[in-house]
Amino acid sequence: AANQIVDSFDATVYRSAKYVVQTTHSTDYQTIEILVMHNGTDVYITRYGLMYTNTELASFTASKSGNSIRLLATPANTNTSFKFTRTVVQA
């Protein structure tokens, strides 16, 4: 399904986050770095450093819902898994 929540953080505490996301489907892998930032109303995202073994496995967006900033993924296949590291910076 589109726009699956990979992670979220509290917008009242943190202004920005950096993610390294590893996506896996069967024996295919993808890694990407993502920066997310907000101004209290709008959410900004940049994606870079995309690497994959065979085909791109997921695309990423970000949104605000209440006081949460959410990192969202749209996988290309079912049974796709996500692992990530996150570094956050306080507001």
Side-chain angles (χ1 to χ4, degrees), residues 1-74:
N3 296 324
Q4 296 182 23
I5 299 170
V6 175
D7 187 45
S8 65
F9 62 88
D10 189 337
T12 65
V13 177
Y14 302 108
R15 177 73 54 210
S16 58
K18 177 181 179 178
Y19 291 91
V20 176
V21 182
Q22 176 183 287
T23 307
T24 304
H25 173 73
S26 185
T27 59
D28 292 325
Y29 305 96
Q30 173 181 308
T31 300
I32 189 169
E33 290 191 62
I34 301 169
L35 294 175
V36 178
M37 178 182 70
H38 73 92
N39 64 5
T41 304
D42 298 312
V43 180
Y44 305 90
I45 183 172
T46 189
R47 298 157 291 270
Y48 55 95
L50 173 65
M51 299 171 53
Y52 50 85
T53 56
N54 190 30
T55 186
E56 194 169 344
L57 297 176
S59 60
F60 295 89
T61 59
S63 69
K64 186 173 187 289
S65 177
N67 287 331
S68 293
I69 304 298
R70 306 179 306 173
L71 177 64
L72 308 171
T74 300

